[in-house]
Amino acid sequence: MGRKFFVGGNWKCNGTTEEVKKIVTTLNEAKVPGEDVVEVVVSPPFVFLPLVKTLLRPDFHVAAQNCWVRKGGAYTGEVSAEMLVNLEIPWVIIGHSERRQLLQESNEFVGDKVAYALSQGLKVIACIGETLEQREAGTTTAVVSEQTKAIAAKISNWDNVVLAYEPVWAIGTGKVATPAQAQEVHAALRKWFQDNVSAEVAASVRIIYGGSVNGGNSKELAGQADVDGFLVGGASLKPEFVDIINAATVKKN
């Protein structure tokens, strides 16, 4: 069975009610391939999740941008996995580099979060990626392998996990990994799964790319054998997100 193309839109900390309605209208009117070809998930800030879920076309789904590492309770400012399940939010992004860097989320903490979210029935977009210093030092594969290993240590089933490789140096910088650079890391990750998890998981797990993906570069990136989709930042707030979704047709041909 082929890996279904996956396109996620991470809206980050952006939007007003009016802006959100406008983005959703654009998505609802978009002509894109069917759910048999591409899975589309958008991730608005927590406060807009119910609104987007209500207004969004039924073939697109919503994700939260984070959730707490265990059951809710006395954790001021946090949102629990149970709350997301209660709101029927199917997906959550965990371990985004902005949280790893700004909020010092460690590999182990991210692994615990992924495991807890899965245990509550959520599907997870788990993010990994190296900094510019790490890439220049030649440690990219070691870094992303360690990040993946910390997740693999806590979970046994990868069916509901999409792994998002996002080189930190390419996020919001306008720099984008070349298709060859992206393919090289994705292939190394797939080999890591083959060697450390199983051949089945290596063949089936979706590894998506994130980092300055736009309408102009998405088709060429999508053409790489081990790139199974995208996690899109800034461009997911713009009409060109539709062009990125349509890059899924590259795989079909």
Side-chain angles (χ1 to χ4, degrees):
M1 190 189 108
R3 300 183 295 270
K4 189 192 291 185
F5 207 76
F6 184 100
V7 179
N10 177 12
W11 298 1
K12 305 192 180 183
C13 189
N14 291 295
T16 62
T17 303
E18 289 317 305
E19 288 167 349
V20 164
K21 285 179 178 173
K22 201 171 155 189
I23 295 166
V24 172
T25 299
T26 301
L27 294 176
N28 287 351
E29 292 170 353
K31 289 190 167 42
V32 298
E35 283 186 280
D36 55 327
V37 175
V38 63
E39 186 167 6
V40 180
V41 174
V42 295
S43 188
F46 284 126
V47 291
F48 298 124
L49 281 170
L51 174 68
V52 173
K53 184 173 166 54
T54 304
L55 299 177
L56 192 64
R57 57 196 289 171
D59 54 332
F60 287 8
H61 300 286
V62 287
Q65 295 177 15
N66 179 46
C67 66
W68 183 234
V69 67
R70 55 183 73 89
K71 192 170 164 50
Y75 306 107
T76 302
E78 285 294 335
V79 172
S80 70
E82 292 84 354
M83 291 173 190
L84 297 177
V85 171
N86 179 247
L87 288 179
E88 298 182 344
I89 306 298
W91 287 90
V92 61
I93 297 172
I94 291 178
H96 192 278
S97 66
E98 286 155 4
R99 296 194 64 86
R100 288 178 185 263
Q101 290 194 305
L102 301 173
L103 297 158
Q104 277 80 55
E105 293 194 359
S106 68
N107 289 351
E108 292 65 37
F109 187 62
V110 169
D112 286 336
K113 274 189 165 183
V114 171
Y116 191 76
L118 289 171
S119 78
Q120 297 309 301
L122 292 170
K123 298 177 195 178
V124 175
I125 301 165
C127 303
I128 60 172
E130 84 284 6
T131 62
L132 186 59
E133 296 74 35
Q134 289 164 335
R135 172 158 285 269
E136 287 176 344
T139 58
T140 296
T141 302
V143 169
V144 297
S145 297
E146 276 303 306
Q147 290 169 329
T148 307
K149 181 181 173 186
I151 297 168
K154 304 283 169 63
I155 71 172
S156 51
N157 187 331
W158 287 81
D159 291 351
N160 289 324
V161 181
V162 169
L163 195 64
Y165 166 59
E166 296 200 299
V168 179
W169 48 272
I171 298 175
T173 59
K175 287 182 183 172
V176 62
T178 63
Q181 283 174 319
Q183 168 58 23
E184 183 184 14
V185 178
H186 285 231
L189 285 164
R190 217 171 283 291
K191 185 177 187 317
W192 187 91
F193 278 104
Q194 177 123 20
D195 297 344
N196 297 280
V197 182
S198 72
E200 293 75 38
V201 171
S204 64
V205 71
R206 288 179 291 181
I207 306 174
I208 64 176
Y209 171 78
S212 297
V213 177
N214 59 46
N217 59 30
S218 55
K219 274 201 165 62
E220 198 184 351
L221 285 161
Q224 304 304 305
D226 290 296
V227 175
D228 302 316
F230 303 115
L231 184 57
V232 185
S236 68
L237 300 164
K238 302 172 187 165
E240 70 180 295
F241 185 59
V242 176
D243 300 328
I244 298 170
I245 297 169
N246 282 318
T249 55
V250 170
K251 289 292 192 213
K252 205 173 61 166
N253 298 338

